Amino acid sequence: MDYLQGLNPEQRAAVEQTEGPVMIIAGAGSGKTRVITYRVAHLIRKGVDSFNILVLTFTNKAAREMRERITHVVGTEAKNIWMGTFHSVFAKILRVEAEKIGYPSNFTIYDTDDSKSVLRAVLKEMNLDDKLYNVNFVLNRISASKNNLISWQEYNKNEQIQADDFSSGRGQMGKIYEMYATRCYRAGAMDFDDLLYKTNELLKLHPDVLNKYQHKFKYLMVDEYQDTNFSQYLIVKKLAAVNENLCVVGDDAQSIYAFRGANIQNILNFEKDYPDLKVFKLEQNYRSTQNIVNVANSIIRNNKEQLKKNVFSEKEAGDKIKVMRAFSDNEEGKIVAEAIMQDRSSKGLKWGAFAILYRTNAQSRSMEEALRKLGIPYKIYGGLSFYQRKEIKDLIAYFRLTFNPNDEEALKRVINYPKRGIGDTSVDKIIVAADQHGITPWEVIVEPGKYLEGKISGAVGTFATMIQSFQVLARTKSAYESALYIAQHSGLLKDLYEDKSVEGLNRYENIQELLNGIKEFSEREDIEEKGLDIFMQDVALLTNDDNDKNKDADTVSLMTIHSSKGLEFPQVYVVGLEENLFPSQMSLNSRSDLEEERRLFYVAVTRAESKLHISYATSRFKFGTLISCEPSRFLDEIDPKFLELDYTARPTTNSNASFDDDRKAWSRDKQPDTFSKPKPASQAPVKTTAMLAKAHVPSANFKPSDTSNLQVGMEVEHERFGFGKVISLEGNKPDIKATIFFKEIGQKQLLLKFAKLYIIQ
């Protein structure tokens, strides 16, 4: 029981409460993973069979980390636990039970690109406008329907749904959904949403299967329960119905995935489903300093829908949170990059200690440019993953076709790659023949003489024979041997090798890296099944955290706040705290949407361990136009005693400024009629953020003047700093420096040849 000694009283109580329904509300940095892993280990130590424990997570990384920790406590018994993401666990069950709902056990799992390809084919066949029926919109609509367990039949019968579709001019959505589902079924394929949708269907239509898994999984634990959707909620509820030994762990304050279908009500209303529920609150934050925790608390207390908790930290108070104001998004990037450079130098930190978090991917541009100019190494997370590269998808399509020849998307992808004389026209003929005879394209290809005419028959027959040879080999050889054979004999490896361009070399090396990964998979000792089909399933079920192999590189991390959830960094920069950006403009239509944006800000703040910076710009380019921005309302919600206003334009001592007052001040006319003689800098009044909230917008007649005859006392306009008066001139041509007092920002010294001043008088 020594593993329990390191737990605080509330953590230990949660670990030892093994029976009945339990909810663990885990604040940010409160040791949630430790509690889950020790609770599972404690169950096994008490005599629970590890085969009877199911642990559901949202990332493979979380599952791996938990299993490793459990292994340290209970040894190899940890291998027997059913542990993984919702999709991976239920894909495993569907492999065993799929035939009961009409699918082959070797069904293909379609990724987003595959699904979009099917939908494009459907839209083309239906002769629909792909602008009105945008493929992303259509896929999201179908995904939302599946996550709410609405079949295409129910979709077409629902009067409200039909009315919504027709009112938006998309009256064919139901038919598209039907054809998409039919195509996937015919191809023996499930998309990601189907893995949950079809599991619900399986458990509903086959009580014997439900009973089997209800008695198998006697203890269930669900991590990140606040992120579950209706489909996941229903599966968990059904599986736990017999024993009710269900433990859910999560934090309503970190529920940020409503756009994916997550329903915060699942955790808020959990007690209604289980009146005998025991609740444990993990409120001590072990990650962040007191100031950071206090800022997070002051933000989230503004949400009405929440489970109350009092998160605290016993670490040092730490630095106040710096709020940095920039005149533009480019200057914001410059300020952030310079601050990172300075802190790294002065504190001896690695680049990997820093993270820049933003609301939208588009914000990375200004950050990247600033980091590059200073030579700071960085990595953007959430970009194109290794397994989304074309050459990798091409080879995996061959693998998919080997195990499921009815996979139409894989077939279309490789039937003429490398080129073998089967062009688009020939592929269309194959698909038409399949539709006419009510069979799959593969059945046409296997007997081309029966369904096709001319030269196409011979080329198609040769292709079919090749795939059949792959099928025979894959039944007896290891994953690596099968993969290498397919790469070589498909012609793909040769085609890439013969491309001597830099891009061709990179693609060839990527294939070699994939084969290396399969070889490593084949030699793993912690798994029993090592076939190529199992490797493909693992690849299909990868979550975003698994795609990057260079996680330990010493680089500054750039990512959206959504991507940062579950991570932590010594120093964090949260950028773009402006109205209509964060909170986003789309979130201002309802309280629930605004509260999710606030939870997103809470997540961003709680990623920081020792130092947190927040920045905003007073102007930003949007669709090629420079627009004025105002500070985010979220800044006003932070208790000012925890803030330090760090404005590079000039020093400030007023840390109690109100951002709301700033916005009101800027609603007044800011252009001066006259200028009074400025006080010396030491006597100049310190301005609040009200006077600095917006960037200057140049006058309509603004045009840089010839400044060769500029004199002290002249009034000028600068395109960024606004209106000012020349105080002094020094130096000789062409390097004359002008000291100018600008009404909005104070005194600045400018080199005239670069200043671009408009002389007013």
Side-chain angles (χ1 to χ4, degrees):
M1 304 290 282
D2 55 332
Y3 59 93
L4 297 177
Q5 303 306 313
L7 301 174
N8 67 37
E10 195 71 7
Q11 289 175 330
R12 180 160 183 163
V15 166
E16 294 182 321
Q17 181 59 52
T18 58
E19 307 303 308
V22 173
M23 179 164 66
I24 302 173
I25 302 171
S30 62
K32 176 196 68 172
T33 302
R34 173 185 285 193
V35 170
I36 296 174
T37 53
Y38 283 6
R39 192 173 187 275
V40 175
H42 193 59
L43 283 168
I44 296 172
R45 283 284 187 92
K46 284 180 61 179
V48 174
D49 190 333
S50 54
F51 284 97
N52 297 141
I53 300 173
L54 171 63
V55 182
L56 296 170
T57 68
F58 275 84
T59 67
N60 294 311
K61 175 186 173 186
R64 283 196 306 270
E65 183 180 344
M66 290 178 192
R67 196 184 295 276
E68 288 170 4
R69 292 194 188 188
I70 296 168
T71 301
H72 286 309
V73 180
V74 300
T76 57
E77 277 294 309
K79 292 183 178 181
N80 304 326
I81 302 165
W82 280 62
M83 178 182 289
T85 64
F86 276 87
H87 293 90
S88 65
V89 167
F90 297 125
K92 186 176 178 182
I93 290 175
L94 286 169
R95 291 287 180 204
V96 177
E97 314 289 351
E99 292 181 358
K100 292 183 173 65
I101 53 174
Y103 281 81
S105 60
N106 62 343
F107 62 84
T108 298
I109 300 173
Y110 277 174
D111 65 13
T112 302
D113 286 345
D114 296 321
S115 296
K116 288 180 179 179
S117 179
V118 175
L119 283 172
R120 288 190 188 99
V122 169
L123 294 173
K124 183 179 179 182
E125 186 175 320
M126 293 178 67
N127 197 28
L128 294 174
D129 182 354
D130 59 4
K131 291 185 175 62
L132 179 61
Y133 291 93
N134 176 275
V135 70
N136 291 315
F137 172 85
V138 174
L139 185 58
N140 288 337
R141 185 79 167 173
I142 292 173
S143 175
S145 299
K146 289 182 180 180
N147 286 331
N148 285 290
L149 304 183
I150 299 172
S151 66
W152 65 262
Q153 295 94 334
E154 292 169 316
Y155 190 101
N156 284 319
K157 290 178 184 177
N158 189 298
E159 293 181 2
Q160 182 60 55
I161 292 176
Q162 293 301 303
D164 290 344
D165 283 348
F166 276 100
S167 67
S168 67
R170 299 187 181 93
Q172 294 297 312
M173 268 300 308
K175 184 63 177 177
I176 296 171
Y177 185 5
E178 177 185 351
M179 291 183 67
Y180 172 76
T182 302
R183 290 282 175 90
C184 290
Y185 181 77
R186 187 178 72 181
M190 296 187 195
D191 63 21
F192 248 50
D193 297 312
D194 280 329
L195 296 176
L196 302 178
Y197 179 84
K198 295 298 179 183
T199 299
N200 269 297
E201 182 180 302
L202 175 70
L203 299 180
K204 179 180 179 181
L205 299 178
H206 297 275
D208 56 322
V209 176
L210 174 59
N211 184 64
K212 169 183 172 182
Y213 290 102
Q214 283 176 331
H215 287 84
K216 177 176 181 59
F217 301 132
K218 295 178 180 177
Y219 292 85
L220 281 76
M221 289 193 71
V222 184
D223 188 19
E224 305 286 9
Y225 190 68
Q226 78 279 351
D227 294 333
T228 53
N229 59 31
F230 177 66
S231 184
Q232 292 162 328
Y233 160 81
L234 209 57
I235 294 171
V236 170
K237 195 168 187 292
K238 285 179 179 178
L239 291 178
V242 171
N243 298 294
E244 288 201 347
N245 292 324
L246 171 61
C247 174
V248 301
V249 186
D251 181 7
D252 59 293
Q254 297 185 65
S255 179
I256 59 173
Y257 295 118
F259 68 96
R260 294 183 191 168
N263 187 353
I264 192 174
Q265 299 302 322
N266 290 350
I267 192 168
L268 294 178
N269 296 329
F270 190 67
E271 192 167 3
K272 292 181 180 178
D273 288 333
Y274 302 95
D276 298 331
L277 178 70
K278 289 184 171 58
V279 179
F280 300 91
K281 295 183 180 181
L282 309 183
E283 297 175 307
Q284 183 171 354
N285 182 309
Y286 292 93
R287 175 190 301 157
S288 307
T289 62
Q290 292 180 38
N291 276 330
I292 293 171
V293 171
N294 289 335
V295 164
N297 287 340
S298 67
I299 293 165
I300 205 63
R301 73 164 60 102
N302 291 279
N303 272 7
K304 290 189 175 181
E305 280 203 308
Q306 62 173 296
L307 299 169
K308 295 292 184 181
K309 55 185 175 296
N310 179 35
V311 179
F312 66 94
S313 172
E314 292 185 350
K315 296 181 74 174
E316 70 279 5
D319 294 336
K320 286 188 175 185
I321 284 62
K322 283 193 175 183
V323 179
M324 306 184 296
R325 189 269 295 116
F327 287 106
S328 67
D329 44 355
N330 286 335
E331 188 181 47
E332 183 183 35
K334 179 173 177 287
I335 291 171
V336 169
E338 288 175 349
I340 289 174
M341 180 73 85
Q342 182 177 347
D343 264 6
R344 179 182 181 269
S345 175
S346 63
K347 298 183 179 179
L349 299 171
K350 291 186 174 182
W351 295 121
F354 301 91
I356 302 173
L357 310 183
Y358 34 78
R359 179 65 181 84
T360 66
N361 280 307
Q363 291 171 257
S364 73
R365 180 199 58 80
S366 57
M367 297 297 143
E368 288 186 76
E369 288 181 4
L371 293 171
R372 279 200 299 267
K373 285 178 181 176
L374 293 182
I376 298 175
Y378 66 90
K379 176 171 178 57
I380 294 181
Y381 288 79
L384 186 67
S385 77
F386 178 77
Y387 290 101
Q388 292 299 315
R389 292 174 177 139
K390 179 187 179 300
E391 61 276 12
I392 301 300
K393 289 178 74 72
D394 288 339
L395 183 51
I396 287 179
Y398 273 109
F399 299 163
R400 283 166 43 180
L401 203 57
T402 299
F403 289 96
N404 178 13
N406 290 327
D407 185 341
E408 190 173 320
E409 290 308 304
L411 176 67
K412 289 190 293 186
R413 187 176 189 99
V414 299
I415 193 170
N416 198 41
Y417 178 69
K419 292 187 182 301
R420 48 178 65 93
I422 311 174
D424 291 343
T425 302
S426 298
V427 173
D428 289 342
K429 289 179 180 178
I430 294 169
I431 292 173
V432 168
D435 289 340
Q436 287 175 343
H437 293 87
I439 58 179
T440 65
W442 174 253
E443 290 173 285
V444 173
I445 289 171
V446 171
E447 297 184 274
K450 186 176 177 180
Y451 301 105
L452 303 170
E453 298 177 353
K455 292 188 295 183
I456 180 180
S457 178
V460 165
T462 301
F463 176 76
T465 301
M466 178 183 71
I467 298 299
Q468 288 170 326
S469 71
F470 295 166
Q471 292 170 337
V472 172
L473 185 85
R475 294 191 194 105
T476 57
K477 298 295 184 181
S478 70
Y480 175 69
E481 291 173 306
S482 301
L484 182 59
Y485 184 90
I486 293 171
Q488 291 172 335
H489 290 80
S490 65
L492 185 147
L493 206 57
K494 180 175 181 288
D495 186 72
L496 293 176
Y497 180 76
E498 290 176 348
D499 182 353
K500 300 302 182 183
S501 67
V502 174
E503 293 80 6
L505 178 61
N506 287 336
R507 288 193 286 268
Y508 181 79
E509 289 176 346
N510 285 336
I511 291 294
Q512 292 292 349
E513 180 61 28
L514 174 62
L515 293 172
N516 291 340
I518 297 174
K519 192 172 196 310
E520 183 182 323
F521 169 84
S522 298
E523 295 172 353
R524 281 174 57 181
E525 297 180 357
D526 60 331
I527 55 174
E528 295 179 8
E529 298 181 80
K530 300 178 183 178
L532 185 56
D533 55 334
I534 304 299
F535 174 81
M536 285 195 304
Q537 176 173 305
D538 285 354
V539 168
L541 295 169
L542 284 174
T543 49
N544 289 335
D545 62 295
D546 303 296
N547 291 330
D548 178 53
K549 294 193 171 212
N550 198 23
K551 290 186 173 74
D552 296 325
D554 187 21
T555 57
V556 174
S557 298
L558 275 68
M559 66 188 78
T560 64
I561 301 168
H562 282 100
S563 298
S564 74
K565 189 165 177 289
L567 303 177
E568 56 189 49
F569 303 90
Q571 295 209 24
V572 169
Y573 291 77
V574 186
V575 300
L577 261 292
E578 299 139 32
E579 284 292 294
N580 298 321
L581 179 57
F582 198 13
S584 73
Q585 189 170 7
M586 297 293 290
S587 72
L588 303 180
N589 297 322
S590 71
R591 178 175 295 280
S592 61
D593 290 342
L594 181 59
E595 291 203 349
E596 172 137 339
E597 287 287 295
R598 190 176 284 114
R599 292 193 293 270
L600 191 60
F601 187 31
Y602 176 87
V603 166
V605 166
T606 54
R607 299 311 93 198
E609 296 173 356
S610 59
K611 196 167 184 179
L612 173 66
H613 306 71
I614 299 171
S615 66
Y616 67 92
T618 57
S619 66
R620 188 175 293 273
F621 274 98
K622 189 173 184 180
F623 303 118
T625 302
L626 188 67
I627 61 169
S628 295
C629 308
E630 59 178 315
S632 168
R633 67 189 69 193
F634 294 156
L635 292 171
D636 263 327
E637 296 175 355
I638 301 174
D639 191 327
K641 68 184 179 185
F642 302 124
L643 299 180
E644 174 189 343
L645 303 188
D646 182 20
Y647 293 154
T648 56
R650 51 96 191 96
T652 180
T653 57
N654 185 5
S655 62
N656 294 310
S658 163
F659 292 93
D660 190 48
D661 289 344
D662 302 352
R663 288 190 284 275
K664 292 175 183 175
W666 272 99
S667 66
R668 298 190 292 270
D669 180 14
K670 59 181 179 293
Q671 294 190 12
D673 294 322
T674 59
F675 287 92
S676 58
K677 185 176 180 180
K679 298 178 183 179
S682 60
Q683 300 176 31
V686 176
K687 299 181 181 181
T688 68
T689 55
M691 301 176 187
L692 298 167
K694 285 190 177 180
H696 173 70
V697 177
S699 304
N701 60 344
F702 178 87
K703 183 179 180 181
S705 304
D706 177 4
T707 56
S708 59
N709 295 315
L710 187 70
Q711 297 176 20
V712 172
M714 283 187 171
E715 293 179 5
V716 296
E717 181 184 5
H718 187 276
E719 62 181 345
R720 192 172 70 174
F721 303 141
F723 297 91
K725 178 173 281 189
V726 180
I727 299 172
S728 66
L729 296 168
E730 59 183 81
N732 300 312
K733 293 181 180 180
D735 297 318
I736 297 175
K737 293 179 183 179
T739 300
I740 303 171
F741 181 83
F742 292 99
K743 183 174 182 182
E744 306 302 342
I745 67 164
Q747 191 168 297
K748 296 280 285 186
Q749 190 174 64
L750 304 174
L751 198 59
L752 276 188
K753 63 182 178 182
F754 298 126
K756 295 183 180 179
L757 297 173
Y758 169 58
I759 300 174
I760 299 172
Q761 60 180 33

